[in-house]
């Protein structure tokens, strides 16, 4: 009888071979040149290098590189070089092999890709999670060298998200938050629509499993009715297209669960009122690219003959493609059930580029002399930001975020040059886009031959001339009406150059004063001085000192001596990066000693409860969570656990930038503590409705009201109500009961 160990090894071998064969079969079906021999060698090399190593899920480690290679090949459309790099992407980091070894066995190009992937690894699942922003910076730097590096990284992230269930809860929150904050927008910008959608849904599934299951169940429940409506809508269109002799494929594209949730949250709608659950997509076959536009408009004409067109919701992405290369014609028409339905019209080529993004362009590239694509222009913008990095890694991420998810407008220079900018861009954004010097000396703009101020918001199709003056100097408040990351970065660089002499002078004054008074120049001391003078960072402090806006005096010595004796919190990078929006008070601390915060184990689930010293957590004012909400903990500078709702915007930033401080949390079963919740009520106004509302809340339900703002206009009213409750169930019950009052149409909690 065979020993159990040998049976397990045989099972593993069969599983590995089946996965590899699946990868190979997909590659052989593609249009790429068939280079099976080098893929086979890369597979055997990686398999041997990772021999005996297992993932957290228990499967052999080699299954991960195979899965990444399969995504890169079959879902992104990359060829043999990328498949080999994906198979080898963890070899240099996790084994004794070097980049030189890879180059010797597989050549310079594959070695270069593996080296690029190795540079940006670390921090994804490791202890270096807090410096993820720096890894992201490296990731973007590699884009200008070879876009395939970032595409393989996308495949790696997607497989990690698909297998996230085996991770500890706090790691799941960190990785899901980081994916939603960084990788999904980046996939969107690279045109990887299918991957972007899956990354968003998987992140949402791990952050809000209950809401995810609830929406998923409702989608399945409404499927029969949806199919019926789609059938009624699509049948006349199909008949018309068949009569025109167009070869096409028509299908309903369902809105993703994350998109549905987003719409419900931002518009405060219940699921039943999200009417645009699906869009119709028509993909037609056309061998001649020059005829695509004409066919798109003939299909458009056929649909508008049948249904009423929404006048403001037609989008022509054919003439001016999106910056990620996306091309399609979108229109919105009134369906047979009285709801608006979007129709997307694409050729087979456009569809492939929309789904596979940048990687699909190789298939359709016409000649080598093409003009530079808008994506390459965007990569240049990223390079520009990287050359002038923000002082803080988190500021850097926020700056990048401006460019990642922006929808575009197209404007023209007086010479007829076409410039793509994010929606909401101003004259000043355009000035900085053209050149730093133009931006720094910009005084106004001529928009469509009319003189307009710097802050004028531009619209698609505007012709804009930027006017400059040598005497103009940049002002800090300019950043308030700029939306482009490139512009803000160049403005900050210009302001720093202007301020630098004053900062140097102020820094010398500060160092000399500290030395004369025998006070250590430490983070704690500088933070204390910043708090007293209400400035955000050392540069601002030194600038104000150099400009003689503030002075250092004996009144500082006592509080600074006390700051020197305070035990230092945090370690390494985390101690140096201040929390976003954290206020430093100049009021002296009360004399009564506070109990020291217990050290928190981030690997365990932290139970939120009230102790003899009060709650063992603090509630974040940015989202005001209450028991019953999906929440996470963040260990702040004082060692306290700060509670945020999982979908709070600041929580997204914390998950992406301070991964090692995130804790998985759960509420205690019962609490006597009360929390404030904000509810918005809307309805048809009538005599006595306010009395019924207050009576229901205070008398029948016994809930304590703290504030009520009510406003009526014509026949409708809206009310904002703040109540004290013990958990989210009470709020949900209150909303449900409020909706039973005659005239109330909506009652929703506002986070």
């Amino acid at each position: 009888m065979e020993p159990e160990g040998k049976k397990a090894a045989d099972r593993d071998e069969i599983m590995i071979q089946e996965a590899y064969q699946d990868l190979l079969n997909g590659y052989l079906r593609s249009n790429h040149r068939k280079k099976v021999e080098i893929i086979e060698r890369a597979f055997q090399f990686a398999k041997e290098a990772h021999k005996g190593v297992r993932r957290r899920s228990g499967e052999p480690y080699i299954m991960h590189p195979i899965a990444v290679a399969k995504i890169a090949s079959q879902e992104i459309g990359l060829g043999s070089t990328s498949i080999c790099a994906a198979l080898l992407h963890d070899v240099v980091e996790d084994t004794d092999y070097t980049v030189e070894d890879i180059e010797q066995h597989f050549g310079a190009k594959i070695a270069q890709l593996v080296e690029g992937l190795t540079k940006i690894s670390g921090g994804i699942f490791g202890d270096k999670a807090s410096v993820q922003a720096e890894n992201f910076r490296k990731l973007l730097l590699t884009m200008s060298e070879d876009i395939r590096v970032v595409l393989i990284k996308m495949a790696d992230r997607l497989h990690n998200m698909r297998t996230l269930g085996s991770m500890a809860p706090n790691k799941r929150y960190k990785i899901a938050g980081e994916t939603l904050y960084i990788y999904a927008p980046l996939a969107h910008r690279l045109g990887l629509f299918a991957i972007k959608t899956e990354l968003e849904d998987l992140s949402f599934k791990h952050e809000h499993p209950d809401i995810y299951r609830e929406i998923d169940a409702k989608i399945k429940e409404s499927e029969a009715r949806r199919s019926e409506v789609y059938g009624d809508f699509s049948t006349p269109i199909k008949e018309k297209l068949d009569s025109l002799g167009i070869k096409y494929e028509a299908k309903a594209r369902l809105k993703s669960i994350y998109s549905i949730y987003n719409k419900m949250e931002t518009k405060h709608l219940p699921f039943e009122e999200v009417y645009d659950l699906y869009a119709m997509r028509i993909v037609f076959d056309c061998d001649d690219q020059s005829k695509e536009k004409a066919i798109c408009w003939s299909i458009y004409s056929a649909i508008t003959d049948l249904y009423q067109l929404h006048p403001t919701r037609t989008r022509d992405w054919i003439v001016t493609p999106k910056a990620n290369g996306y091309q399609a014609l979108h229109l919105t028409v009134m369906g047979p059930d009285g709801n608006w339905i979007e129709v997307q019209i694409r050729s087979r080529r456009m569809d492939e580029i929309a789904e596979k993004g940048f990687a699909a362009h190789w298939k359709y590239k016409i000649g080598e002399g093409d003009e530079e694509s808008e994506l390459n222009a965007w990569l240049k913008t990223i390079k520009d930001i990287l050359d002038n990095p923000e002082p803080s890694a988190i500021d850097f991420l926020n700056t990048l975020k401006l460019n990642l998810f922006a929808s575009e407008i197209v404007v023209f220079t007086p010479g007829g040059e076409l410039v793509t900018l994010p929606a909401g861009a101003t004259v000043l954004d355009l000035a900085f886009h053209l050149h730093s010097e133009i931006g720094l000396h910009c005084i106004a703009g001529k928009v469509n031959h009319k003189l307009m101020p710097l802050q004028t918001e531009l619209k698609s199709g505007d012709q804009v001339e930027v006017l400059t003056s040598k005497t103009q100097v940049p002002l800090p408040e300019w950043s308030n009406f700029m939306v482009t990351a490139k512009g803000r970065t160049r403005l900050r660089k210009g302001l720093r150059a202007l301020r630098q002499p004053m900062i140097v002078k102020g820094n010398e004054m500060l160092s000399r004063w500290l030395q004369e008074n025998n006070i250590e120049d430490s983070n704690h001391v500088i933070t204390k001085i910043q708090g007293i003078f209400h400035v955000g960072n050392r540069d601002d402090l030194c600038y104000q000192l150099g400009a003689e806006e503030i002075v250092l005096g004996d009144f500082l010595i006592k509080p600074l001596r006390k700051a020197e004796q305070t035990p230092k919190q945090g370690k390494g990078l985390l101690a140096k990066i201040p929390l976003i929006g954290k206020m430093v008070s100049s009021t002296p601390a009360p004399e009564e000693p506070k109990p020291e915060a217990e050290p928190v184990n981030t690997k365990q689930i932290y139970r939120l409860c009230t102790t003899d010293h009060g709650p063992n957590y603090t509630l974040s004012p940015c989202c005001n969570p209450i028991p019953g909400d999906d929440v996470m903990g963040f260990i702040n500078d004082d060692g306290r656990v700060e509670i945020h709702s999982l979908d709070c915007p600041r929580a997204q930033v914390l998950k992406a930038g301070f991964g090692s401080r995130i804790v998985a949390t759960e509420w205690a079963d019962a609490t006597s503590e009360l929390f404030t919740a904000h509810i918005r009520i809307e309805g048809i106004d009538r005599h006595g409705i306010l009395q019924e509302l207050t009576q229901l809340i205070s008398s029948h339900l016994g809930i304590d009201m703290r504030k009520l703002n009510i406003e009526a206009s014509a026949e409708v009213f809206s009310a904002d109500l703040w109540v004290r409750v013990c958990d989210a169930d009470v709020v949900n019950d209150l909303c449900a009961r409020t909706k039973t009052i005659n005239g109330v149409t909506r009652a929703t909690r506002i986070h």
Side-chain angles (χ1 to χ4, degrees), residues 522-536:
S522 67
N523 277 348
H524 261 59
V525 166
I526 300 303
T527 303
K528 188 70 181 173
I529 300 174
Q530 287 171 206
I532 291 167
F533 289 114
H534 301 287
V535 291

Side-chain angles (χ1 to χ4, degrees), residues 571-677:
K571 293 179 182 176
L573 178 70
L574 290 174
K576 294 173 191 170
I577 301 178
L579 282 181
I580 300 159
K582 187 172 172 71
M583 297 295 291
V584 184
S585 172
S586 59
T587 312
E591 292 302 312
E592 187 184 325
K594 290 182 181 175
E596 282 192 24
E598 289 286 319
V600 179
N601 185 346
T602 57
K603 291 189 170 62
Q604 293 175 351
I605 293 178
Y606 185 80
R607 196 166 172 75
L608 307 172
C609 60
T610 304
T611 67
D612 294 341
H613 300 296
N616 64 351
Y617 57 87
T618 55
L619 293 174
S620 169
C622 54
C623 53
N624 292 312
I626 62 176
D629 288 345
D630 290 336
V631 293
M632 63 157 221
F634 169 72
I635 305 169
N636 64 22
D637 283 358
D638 300 326
R640 297 269 296 162
V641 174
E642 188 180 291
I643 302 304
H644 291 264
S645 291
L646 276 176
D647 47 8
C648 157
R650 176 150 177 234
Q652 302 290 357
V653 176
L654 296 175
K655 283 181 281 191
F658 298 99
S660 59
R661 291 206 201 182
I662 302 301
V663 240
T665 55
E666 64 175 26
W667 297 99
D669 296 333
T671 177
S672 56
E673 198 175 348
L674 292 176
F675 303 83
T676 302

Side-chain angles (χ1 to χ4, degrees), residues 26-27 29-32 70-79 147 151 154 186-196 281 324-326 346 348-364 375:
Y27 170 67
R29 285 194 299 270
S30 74
N31 292 342
H32 290 276
K70 187 179 170 187
I71 293 168
S73 168
Q74 295 172 28
E75 295 182 48
I76 301 179
L78 297 172
I147 193 70
L151 293 170
M154 278 290 162
L186 186 56
H188 173 83
R189 207 63 167 85
L190 291 168
L192 301 166
F193 182 79
I195 287 178
K196 168 237 176 193
R281 181 174 296 160
N324 58 19
Y326 179 84
R346 305 173 178 173
R348 187 72 58 192
R349 176 189 69 84
M350 294 175 194
D351 188 57
E352 207 160 323
I353 288 171
E355 294 303 310
K356 291 185 176 174
F358 186 85
H361 284 274
W362 67 269
K363 195 171 171 182
Y364 300 100
L375 182 67

